[in-house]
Amino acid sequence: MIPFKKSSVLNLKIIFLFLCILPFFLLTFFARPSADEFPFFTQLSSMSSLEFASSMYKNWSGRYFSVFFVSIFLKLIVYWKGFYPIFIFLILVANFFSFYWMIDKLNFTNSKKEKLLLTSSIFIVYIYGMPSLAEGFYWFICASGYMLINCFVIFWTGFLLEREYKIDNSKPIFRENLLIIFFTFALCGSMEIISSFVVGLIAVVWLTKLINTKKADNFYSFLFLFAFFCFCFSVFAGGNSIRGTHFESLSNPLLILPKLIPNSLNYIFYWFFETPVLVFTLFYLPFAQKIVTRSPFDFILKVNRFWVLLVWIGVIFGSFSIGYVSIGGELPMRINNIVYFLFLTGWFYVVSVFVYFYINENSNPNYSSDFSIFKNASVFTKLIAPLVIFLFLYKENNPIRAAYADILKGRAYNYAMQLDDRKTLLLNCKSDTCIVPVIKNPPHIIYEPALDLTTDSNDWKNKSQAVYFGVKAIKVE
């Protein structure tokens, strides 16, 4: 038997991962507006994006950047609803591109196929473990106000790395400084979890530099003060105070511990053992080795591994705790999606730091062969790893399997047609209470019941759509 060439095996891996990702991109074209997008459509029909953002800042949310940013796209959707699935598709593309952009910037290999393989692998794990894809990518407000902000986090981190690299090589850093300040402004005016993460990470970097150099870094001192000001400008907005009255926040943070710790551990154990995180971590080890030994940004790995591990754990538990303190209970799925993003990206960074320590502790000059079990042909790469991966793909609640089923069994298409029929019915409804049919056989990936209309005409979702369509009341039969 003629063995496969290395390039052929690499091509097959990329094709396999592409087929795993493909259905999620196809499903974007079956997504339709839902929930609070309708009251936003109503408001944006009579005001500009700036007026809308100002109104939201004063009356509902202090997220000054993400609200304005999202309103620009919502304004376009008001004029043509066909933009809705297109924008969601582009946001999914942007998320994939941001992962590739960061991996490419690490510059640990000249092979675009290797970078594409690593990007696809991490992206698959990212999609696989998301608590709710419907509230992540297929609900436009969340996709643009949450998932797109994840891309900003990656770009912000990348420009921080590039700035440090240029300083070490005595190169101009004016461009990086401006971009870092802009993304800091944007991120601190978005989700509370992300703004807290940005302020906290800047503080950690500032403290690390202070310990290493015995003096305060002027740029990070300024950046911390600027980020903290933006954070306060968002958190203490009048809109946040009004929104806070809708939740039962906890005045004593210690009361959250009995619920926070077991709930957080449940998610962490689920992500480690019910998703392919650990399997793909083994595949990541050869890439980590190349990053450690070849990347010009290896300086980010020259830190205490236990300090990095402690910070990562603190970020995860701190992110979960924000929900309990602010709303008095567990975070909604759309926020847990963000916690998973921080969990996953932080995990691969922690692994890289430990690989760096392991390599530099070994004095063997031929150390590069130590990860050969994951890189060369072996029982692991030929049999065990593919078997484990296919077991994950076979699981009944596997999102890749569900995404293909939604497309091939017509559930996604029928869902889109049912919502289009609802729209036609409401536009032509002449009665006091418009009765719409319930969604039958909905798709598993893009449909979230909590975002749909209910049988109660006084439900806020029903009332907002009634205003939008110009009818007195709406309810589901």
Side-chain angles (χ1 to χ4, degrees):
M1 181 181 292
I2 300 176
F4 281 114
K5 294 182 179 179
K6 184 178 180 180
S7 59
S8 299
V9 174
L10 185 59
N11 290 337
L12 288 174
K13 290 178 180 178
I14 293 174
I15 292 172
F16 169 75
L17 293 172
F18 170 77
L19 292 175
C20 290
I21 295 171
L22 179 62
F24 299 100
F25 286 90
L26 297 178
L27 283 172
T28 60
F29 295 102
F30 301 106
R32 295 293 186 271
S34 60
D36 51 358
E37 287 166 342
F38 286 97
F40 293 163
F41 290 155
T42 302
Q43 294 178 60
L44 284 166
S45 297
S46 58
M47 62 175 65
S48 68
S49 294
L50 187 59
E51 290 172 333
F52 174 79
S54 176
S55 174
M56 289 290 290
Y57 179 81
K58 296 174 182 177
N59 302 308
W60 183 248
S61 171
R63 300 170 183 176
Y64 58 83
F65 179 83
S66 61
V67 169
F68 174 72
F69 187 69
V70 170
S71 68
I72 295 173
F73 297 99
L74 289 175
K75 190 80 171 176
L76 295 174
I77 296 172
V78 168
Y79 293 123
W80 184 52
K81 293 299 184 290
F83 279 131
Y84 192 90
I86 294 173
F87 286 155
I88 291 179
F89 176 83
L90 293 176
I91 289 171
L92 200 58
V93 171
N95 272 262
F96 184 87
F97 170 76
S98 65
F99 280 104
Y100 182 85
W101 178 85
M102 176 59 83
I103 289 171
D104 179 64
K105 186 166 287 290
L106 292 176
N107 198 24
F108 62 91
T109 178
N110 294 323
S111 172
K112 291 185 178 180
K113 289 183 179 179
E114 283 192 43
K115 295 174 183 177
L116 189 59
L117 177 65
L118 180 56
T119 303
S120 302
S121 300
I122 295 177
F123 196 68
I124 283 294
V125 181
Y126 179 44
I127 289 178
Y128 196 107
M130 283 179 62
S132 174
L133 282 161
E135 290 193 25
F137 286 117
Y138 302 102
W139 180 17
F140 177 74
I141 285 183
C142 278
S144 52
Y146 292 70
M147 310 310 291
L148 198 57
I149 297 302
N150 287 349
C151 302
F152 282 25
V153 172
I154 293 176
F155 294 140
W156 177 73
T157 306
F159 288 121
L160 282 173
L161 297 181
E162 193 168 332
R163 179 184 186 276
E164 295 302 310
Y165 172 74
K166 285 190 173 182
I167 288 177
D168 290 343
N169 291 273
S170 303
K171 294 182 179 181
I173 55 174
F174 180 75
R175 169 178 166 271
E176 284 70 26
N177 285 347
L178 285 181
L179 288 169
I180 290 168
I181 292 171
F182 166 75
F183 280 113
T184 301
F185 170 79
L187 293 172
C188 289
S190 301
M191 295 168 291
E192 290 74 16
I193 285 180
I194 292 298
S195 58
S196 301
F197 167 76
V198 168
V199 173
L201 187 60
I202 294 173
V204 169
V205 174
W206 180 88
L207 181 61
T208 303
K209 282 182 168 290
L210 178 65
I211 293 173
N212 292 338
T213 63
K214 309 303 181 185
K215 63 178 181 179
D217 185 284
N218 291 333
F219 176 77
Y220 284 101
S221 297
F222 162 77
L223 193 63
F224 174 79
L225 292 175
F226 176 72
F228 187 72
F229 171 79
C230 293
F231 172 80
C232 292
F233 183 72
S234 174
V235 170
F236 297 109
N240 266 339
S241 300
I242 295 174
R243 186 174 59 169
T245 60
H246 290 72
F247 304 101
E248 297 180 1
S249 58
L250 297 178
S251 57
N252 184 358
L254 293 178
L255 296 177
I256 71 173
L257 294 179
K259 294 182 179 180
L260 169 65
I261 295 177
N263 180 68
S264 303
L265 290 177
N266 282 339
Y267 272 105
I268 292 172
F269 277 102
Y270 173 80
W271 289 331
F272 271 131
F273 302 110
E274 296 292 329
T275 74
V277 167
L278 293 179
V279 177
F280 278 100
T281 298
L282 296 178
F283 278 110
Y284 174 69
L285 291 178
F287 292 103
Q289 182 188 14
K290 288 185 178 182
I291 292 171
V292 166
T293 56
R294 301 180 187 178
S295 173
F297 297 97
D298 62 334
F299 58 85
I300 63 173
L301 307 174
K302 299 176 182 179
V303 291
N304 186 291
R305 61 198 186 282
F306 297 112
W307 170 243
V308 169
L309 182 62
L310 181 64
V311 170
W312 175 68
I313 294 173
V315 167
I316 305 306
F317 280 92
S319 299
F320 279 119
S321 67
I322 289 175
Y324 285 92
V325 172
S326 59
I327 65 177
E330 184 182 349
L331 292 168
M333 291 296 102
R334 57 186 177 274
I335 304 297
N336 286 332
N337 288 339
I338 309 305
V339 180
Y340 178 61
F341 166 78
L342 298 175
F343 166 87
L344 190 65
T345 52
W347 168 251
F348 283 106
Y349 174 59
V350 169
V351 170
S352 302
V353 170
F354 273 82
V355 169
Y356 177 86
F357 170 79
Y358 189 52
I359 287 178
N360 283 275
E361 284 292 301
N362 194 297
S363 58
N364 183 0
N366 297 320
Y367 186 78
S368 60
S369 63
D370 282 2
F371 290 122
S372 60
I373 182 175
F374 308 115
K375 184 167 54 176
N376 301 327
S378 65
V379 174
F380 176 81
T381 56
K382 284 183 175 180
L383 180 62
I384 299 177
L387 179 61
V388 174
I389 291 173
F390 277 108
L391 284 175
F392 276 110
L393 296 179
Y394 185 74
K395 286 177 61 178
E396 188 174 354
N397 61 345
N398 161 32
I400 299 171
R401 178 179 172 182
Y404 268 112
D406 284 345
I407 295 172
L408 298 178
K409 293 183 178 181
R411 288 196 291 257
Y413 174 80
N414 290 332
Y415 165 73
M417 292 302 99
Q418 289 178 76
L419 287 182
D420 290 344
D421 291 342
R422 267 191 189 180
K423 177 182 176 181
T424 303
L425 187 154
L426 291 171
L427 288 172
N428 296 294
C429 179
K430 303 301 181 182
S431 63
D432 290 342
T433 300
C434 300
I435 309 298
V436 297
V438 67
I439 298 296
K440 297 178 181 178
N441 195 24
H444 297 152
I445 297 298
I446 65 177
Y447 176 73
E448 173 55 57
L451 305 180
D452 196 12
L453 296 173
T454 70
T455 56
D456 180 10
S457 60
N458 289 317
D459 186 287
W460 70 268
K461 297 185 292 295
N462 296 48
K463 293 173 71 173
S464 63
Q465 285 202 36
V467 173
Y468 175 77
F469 286 105
V471 298
K472 291 185 178 180
I474 301 173
K475 68 177 182 178
V476 175
E477 65 181 1

